[in-house]
Amino acid sequence: MMKNINNIITVIDYIENHLSEKMSLSSIAGAVGYSKYHLHRMFATCVGMSIHNYVQRRQLTEAAKLLVFSDKSILEISLIAGYESQQSFSTSFKQMYKKSPNEYRVTGDFYPLQLKFDLDNNFVKLDDDIYSKISFATREDIPLWLDLVALTVDGYPHLDKAQYLGVLEKCIDEKRALILKGYNTCSNSKINEDNKIDVSSDIAIAAMAINYDTGSIDFFSIHPLYRKFGIAKLFLDKVMNELLINTPISITTFRDGDKADTGYRETYKQLGFAEGELLVEFGYPTQKFIIDSSEGGFKYE
């Protein structure tokens, strides 16, 4: 696993250094010395999306930043983002941001589709009893939580980090924030004077914020490297059987067919959520998903 992660870090660094160019799986694979088929499988497994999606989302994020914080023309930004024409850029931009580049510029409200995927020191050993390690977060966990937000911002369109910090602090103080942490076991983990792993080397493997009044899950993210360990089911089990008992539980996510969805709808369906009403949140079209905890959660064995 560590070898694959180190390889992906190399690939991501290459992408970051060539965001203003037109990149493809073949060109990236050739530049870093892997076969494109091996690279595709390795990247998708570690990151949770294809290289094409990652590159597109990173380029559009940087383009959105230029639209808001620079005076460059849309044509110039199109070329900087690796597109051959303003039309192709505008089409891709609107699919992801739900606004044309000009509309987005006028609004002046920047938010990222995808931040740089930082996997350094992110491989940790999971305890055998994962369920018992899910606990209420404390304010000391905020840096770890925000690191996870940065890794999974693709699932939360229009998330404002400054505003979110205040919401998170309130959730923590009201015992509505759950977290699963892991100790970093990489060779370059920080070791303190007592020859123990430094707490600062922890990572947040998963985090969830709930609302006792509405029965909603307001935030739920799992580190991409750990999405295949059944952690989502364990979090939902804890909420359904211990915190929101006999309560319809809801979560909002992307609408069907949204090009910006990297797999969240399918994840919630697999967990047993059913499609609910269509919504618009912060100007973004979403859909509510609902599950009834009176039917029982996922039994942990």
Side-chain angles (χ1 to χ4, degrees):
M1 174 65 82
M2 275 307 304
K3 181 179 179 180
N4 282 348
I5 294 174
N6 288 333
N7 290 341
I8 293 301
I9 290 173
T10 298
V11 173
I12 289 173
D13 286 342
Y14 174 85
I15 291 171
E16 290 296 314
N17 290 328
H18 296 81
L19 283 176
S20 62
E21 303 173 15
K22 185 175 178 60
M23 288 180 279
S24 67
L25 175 61
S26 296
S27 65
I28 296 171
V32 297
Y34 305 125
S35 77
K36 63 180 182 179
Y37 303 105
H38 173 66
L39 180 57
H40 170 75
R41 291 192 298 270
M42 182 172 59
F43 194 93
T45 297
C46 288
V47 177
M49 68 182 77
S50 69
I51 283 185
H52 170 77
N53 284 343
Y54 179 84
V55 169
Q56 180 188 47
R57 296 171 71 90
R58 283 295 297 123
Q59 289 178 326
L60 289 176
T61 294
E62 295 305 306
K65 190 182 297 182
L66 290 174
L67 286 169
V68 173
F69 300 113
S70 82
D71 295 325
K72 296 182 184 297
S73 69
I74 293 177
L75 175 58
E76 187 176 358
I77 293 173
S78 303
L79 299 176
I80 292 173
Y83 287 82
E84 295 178 347
S85 71
Q86 182 174 328
Q87 181 59 47
S88 60
F89 166 72
S90 296
T91 299
S92 294
F93 191 92
K94 190 166 186 178
Q95 285 178 336
M96 292 294 188
Y97 275 99
K98 307 302 175 286
K99 295 177 182 178
S100 70
N102 188 59
E103 290 171 332
Y104 190 87
R105 167 165 272 173
V106 171
T107 302
D109 185 14
F110 167 73
Y111 69 89
L113 283 172
Q114 185 72 54
L115 297 173
K116 179 187 176 182
F117 224 85
D118 184 7
L119 294 178
D120 190 28
N121 293 338
N122 274 196
F123 183 61
V124 302
K125 181 179 179 181
L126 293 175
D127 291 310
D128 292 333
D129 186 3
I130 298 174
Y131 184 90
S132 68
K133 302 301 181 182
I134 300 172
S135 60
F136 287 111
T138 68
R139 290 205 173 201
E140 292 180 351
D141 296 322
I142 289 177
L144 303 182
W145 189 299
L146 293 180
D147 285 344
L148 182 61
V149 170
L151 268 179
T152 58
V153 73
D154 60 294
Y156 293 90
H158 227 291
L159 187 147
D160 182 281
K161 186 175 180 180
Q163 183 182 40
Y164 180 70
L165 179 58
V167 173
L168 175 57
E169 290 174 341
K170 184 177 180 181
C171 286
I172 289 174
D173 293 344
E174 296 176 353
K175 297 293 184 183
R176 297 190 287 111
L178 298 170
I179 193 169
L180 173 65
K181 296 182 292 185
Y183 288 104
N184 193 313
T185 58
C186 298
S187 59
N188 58 346
S189 297
K190 297 178 182 178
I191 305 297
N192 63 23
E193 295 178 352
D194 298 322
N195 201 33
K196 295 180 180 179
I197 297 176
D198 196 326
V199 173
S200 63
S201 293
D202 284 0
I203 69 166
I205 294 173
M208 175 187 284
I210 62 174
N211 189 311
Y212 293 116
D213 295 326
T214 64
S216 64
I217 296 174
D218 296 333
F219 179 85
F220 188 23
S221 282
I222 300 175
H223 193 297
L225 294 179
Y226 302 94
R227 288 175 179 168
K228 296 183 178 180
F229 291 89
I231 293 171
K233 290 184 178 181
L234 298 181
F235 263 77
L236 188 57
D237 181 53
K238 188 173 187 70
V239 171
M240 295 175 75
N241 292 324
E242 298 181 26
L243 303 175
L244 293 175
I245 303 171
N246 297 324
T247 302
I249 299 172
S250 66
I251 191 167
T252 59
T253 189
F254 300 93
R255 291 187 185 183
D256 186 28
D258 192 333
K259 295 289 187 181
D261 181 17
T262 56
Y264 288 89
R265 281 179 62 90
E266 184 59 30
T267 295
Y268 297 138
K269 285 184 177 181
Q270 291 177 0
L271 288 171
F273 283 87
E275 296 180 30
E277 63 182 308
L278 299 178
L279 304 170
V280 176
E281 299 174 297
F282 305 103
Y284 197 98
T286 61
Q287 184 171 16
K288 179 182 288 188
F289 276 61
I290 303 172
I291 192 170
D292 191 347
S293 65
S294 64
E295 297 176 359
F298 297 93
K299 301 304 179 184
Y300 178 72
E301 297 179 357

